[in-house]
Amino acid sequence: MDQLKGIASRRSFRILVAMLILLTFLHYCTPQVRFLPVSSFFLQRHVVERIIFILPVAGATFAFGQMGGLIALAVAILIMLPRVFLLSPHPMDAFVETCAVGVVGYLVVWMIEVQEREKRLRQQVASRFRTINAVTSIVTGSLELEQISASALDKISEIIKTHVACVYLLEGETEELVLSAHRGLSSGCITDATRFRPGEGLIGRAVRSGEPVVVGDVQEGPELTARLADAEDVRSFLAVPLKSSNSVLGVLALADPRPRLFTSQDMELLTAIGGQVGVAIENARLYESMRFYARQVTCAQEEERKRIARDLHDETIQRLIVISRRLESLATLLERSPEATHHLEELQRLTSDTLKGLRSFVQDLRPSTLDHLGLVAALEGLTNDLEKRSCIETTVEVRGEVRRLAPEQEVGLFRILQEALNNARRHSQATRVTVEVTFEPNKVRMSISDNGCGFEVSERMHNLVSTGKLGLIGMYERARLLGGRLVIRSEPGRGTTVGVSVPV
């Protein structure tokens, strides 16, 4: 009833009714013979009115589809039949003409329906490609597993419009499916349906078979009912495997509280999306493995630097100090020989310069201040050393409550500042550098600004490689390994600012 009221309230319906009333008036209230300037036998009959009845039939097909067109055609024929048998002086001819109009009207309805069906099909194909491209763009825009799962679910929920949507990922160690992201799950269901074993329920069956599993009504197939369906009291269920190179990495699960027939188009679309998400998940896991190995290499590198710095400080520097002291004693004994004294002074100066260079090298390798006093003291030591080496005015500003960070975080931020200051000294021609460190409850921000010549910042990483800016790549990677973000802002003639934010 509500649907009929909705149809009757549409403007197109009122226009069609008005057309039928007008054509009925012309069909019954005009004379059989008309006096027109161009008169012919064809126009002296009511064939024209009968043909014109095809117009509302076509309009109804466009407005209400094939069923609406057939209903309008039936109404038009019922309107024409009384004249055929009661009023027409040529009933047989009128009947043939009416039948011809019915056949032509049906062909018009069929042609319009075919055209509209092809149009809808083209729109569905275009929408499918747009959807796949949108999902591909979303999932390839990040290398974080949680962000990939959440972004893909948002887009899929928007398209398919289901009550529950979940992504389960297969754990390599336990070989269990673990809930990674969800939309529409209740808190109780999250607890009950966090893990599945391969082969358990719809979700586990999709993993084992590698093919989509769909049930329009779980009450018709109770053996397929999974804990997720039980917990959310859903009726229809669809599980699509997330695959990459024929390997199942997880499952996309969709559920609805009402019986629903998932169409073949839905299955094809979700299978294609599952393939894209699967590739993105594999890339994210490879990236996470690379980050893990990079962290291990960085830690090993820092440990090796610490060992070398300790050995140089404990052995080489101490021996150089002993040599310097003995040279001083020898110079005192040979004061009467000017030539010997001169050579000893040269040797002593060379030893002192080597000692200073070695101490600076040890400081660059691994400053003991960083381990003993923390990040801020090490940063102040770096800026003071920059002033002594290059006469660049430096300023360190610290905001927030200063605290110690994890060793890898302190080392990472220290190395980023070290590279930024080295770039300012070597390339920027700067006279002033400002370092700002801000301690916030959940992150630490650091900014290094100079008033140097600046440069064009490339938006792509591979451009940095081709131009030889490997130090900038190292800064980006160190920030990324810490789970943070590094931004470089610079323009020719306007200096450079390096900003880094790291969660703690």
Side-chain angles (χ1 to χ4, degrees):
M1 184 62 67
D2 293 337
Q3 187 176 3
L4 292 177
K5 289 181 179 179
I7 293 174
S9 64
R10 292 176 58 177
R11 182 182 178 185
S12 54
F13 178 80
R14 294 195 294 268
I15 292 175
L16 290 172
V17 171
M19 289 178 65
L20 289 172
I21 293 174
L22 177 62
L23 291 176
T24 302
F25 174 79
L26 292 175
H27 194 61
Y28 285 97
C29 299
T30 56
Q32 178 72 13
V33 179
R34 270 151 278 162
F35 300 97
L36 299 176
V38 182
S39 180
S40 66
F41 176 77
F42 177 77
L43 292 177
Q44 291 174 359
R45 305 279 297 272
H46 281 76
V47 178
V48 175
E49 285 87 345
R50 294 188 179 100
I51 293 175
I52 294 176
F53 269 106
I54 295 177
L55 293 179
V57 173
T61 307
F62 278 116
F64 302 103
Q66 184 178 21
M67 184 57 65
L70 292 176
I71 292 174
L73 179 60
V75 171
I77 292 175
L78 290 176
I79 291 174
M80 290 185 285
L81 283 178
R83 185 175 186 93
V84 171
F85 296 110
L86 301 177
L87 301 177
S88 176
H90 307 285
M92 183 56 64
D93 293 347
F95 179 74
V96 172
E97 292 168 358
T98 302
C99 292
V101 169
V103 172
V104 172
Y106 178 79
L107 291 176
V108 169
V109 171
W110 176 78
M111 292 173 61
I112 293 175
E113 178 61 22
V114 170
Q115 181 182 1
E116 290 295 314
R117 189 183 301 120
E118 292 179 352
K119 181 180 178 181
R120 289 193 298 269
L121 183 61
R122 288 194 299 269
Q123 290 176 345
Q124 289 174 359
V125 172
S127 176
R128 176 183 174 184
F129 279 116
R130 285 196 300 269
T131 301
I132 294 175
N133 289 335
V135 173
T136 302
S137 176
I138 290 173
V139 299
T140 56
S142 173
L143 289 171
E144 301 293 336
L145 276 176
E146 292 184 359
Q147 187 173 351
I148 290 172
S149 302
S151 301
L153 273 189
D154 289 337
K155 194 63 180 179
I156 292 169
S157 300
E158 176 185 340
I159 297 165
I160 304 299
K161 294 180 174 56
T162 57
H163 178 68
V164 176
C166 307
V167 169
Y168 287 84
L169 298 181
L170 195 62
E171 278 191 346
E173 298 178 356
T174 62
E175 294 187 352
E176 289 185 335
L177 288 162
V178 180
L179 183 64
S180 174
H182 63 88
R183 297 290 182 271
L185 283 182
S186 62
S187 56
C189 182
I190 294 174
T191 304
D192 295 336
T194 302
R195 289 179 175 269
F196 286 93
R197 295 185 303 275
E200 180 185 2
L202 285 172
I203 296 174
R205 186 165 298 191
V207 172
R208 179 157 294 178
S209 65
E211 298 295 334
V213 179
V214 60
V215 175
D217 190 347
V218 296
Q219 292 183 355
E220 297 177 1
E223 72 280 358
L224 295 178
T225 304
R227 294 199 309 269
L228 180 59
D230 293 335
E232 286 296 317
D233 191 25
V234 298
R235 298 285 297 277
S236 55
F237 205 96
L238 172 64
V240 178
L242 306 177
K243 302 169 68 176
S244 176
S245 302
N246 296 324
S247 298
V248 179
L249 304 177
V251 172
L252 168 65
L254 304 176
D256 220 297
R258 63 186 187 280
R260 172 176 176 173
L261 178 63
F262 289 98
T263 64
S264 59
Q265 289 83 3
D266 292 337
M267 300 281 286
E268 291 175 1
L269 176 61
L270 291 172
T271 301
I273 291 175
Q276 296 293 330
V277 176
V279 171
I281 290 172
E282 184 176 30
N283 291 338
R285 285 180 170 172
L286 289 174
Y287 175 70
E288 184 61 33
S289 298
M290 291 177 61
R291 286 180 61 179
F292 173 77
Y293 289 125
R295 282 194 294 267
Q296 297 300 314
V297 170
T298 302
C299 290
Q301 185 183 56
E302 290 298 330
E303 288 298 321
E304 185 65 12
R305 285 185 174 189
K306 186 189 295 186
R307 185 191 65 79
I308 293 173
R310 184 173 59 248
D311 291 347
L312 288 174
H313 181 272
D314 294 344
E315 297 180 10
T316 308
I317 291 180
Q318 298 303 321
R319 290 176 182 177
L320 285 173
I321 292 174
V322 171
I323 292 173
S324 178
R325 296 291 183 267
R326 290 185 178 180
L327 287 174
E328 290 177 359
S329 301
L330 187 59
T332 303
L333 295 175
L334 297 177
E335 286 181 353
R336 296 179 181 179
S337 176
E339 185 176 355
T341 302
H342 175 72
H343 285 296
L344 286 174
E345 288 176 352
E346 288 291 331
L347 188 58
Q348 186 176 0
R349 185 163 52 252
L350 180 62
T351 304
S352 298
D353 292 342
T354 303
L355 190 57
K356 289 180 181 178
L358 193 56
R359 281 173 173 166
S360 177
F361 177 68
V362 170
Q363 182 72 12
D364 290 339
L365 270 178
R366 179 73 180 204
S368 58
T369 309
L370 184 63
D371 295 322
H372 299 151
L373 300 179
L375 178 64
V376 174
L379 299 185
E380 290 175 345
L382 271 181
T383 55
N384 292 335
D385 185 62
L386 179 66
E387 281 191 347
K388 294 176 183 178
R389 290 187 184 184
S390 58
C391 298
I392 297 177
E393 179 185 349
T394 61
T395 305
V396 178
E397 299 178 2
V398 181
R399 299 184 179 91
E401 184 179 352
V402 179
R403 61 186 185 276
R404 293 299 301 265
L405 308 178
E408 63 272 12
Q409 293 173 334
E410 291 187 337
V411 171
L413 290 171
F414 176 83
R415 295 301 179 195
I416 290 173
L417 177 62
Q418 189 178 46
E419 181 63 31
L421 294 182
N422 284 337
N423 289 338
R425 178 173 60 85
R426 296 172 182 172
H427 310 297
S428 72
Q429 303 172 12
T431 60
R432 185 177 65 257
V433 174
T434 301
V435 179
E436 297 180 359
V437 183
T438 304
F439 289 86
E440 298 181 3
N442 57 353
K443 65 180 176 180
V444 173
R445 291 187 291 111
M446 183 172 67
S447 172
I448 307 102
S449 305
D450 65 54
N451 63 345
C453 58
F455 63 97
E456 290 285 349
V457 180
S458 176
E459 296 181 357
R460 298 183 181 274
M461 187 72 73
H462 65 80
N463 291 338
L464 297 177
V465 177
S466 61
T467 55
K469 294 183 171 64
L470 301 181
L472 299 183
I473 296 177
M475 294 166 64
Y476 278 114
E477 291 303 321
R478 285 188 181 275
R480 192 174 296 177
L481 286 174
L482 296 175
R485 183 169 179 264
L486 185 136
V487 178
I488 299 177
R489 294 185 294 272
S490 182
E491 293 182 16
R494 295 195 172 185
T496 302
T497 298
V498 178
V500 60
S501 176
V502 175
V504 295

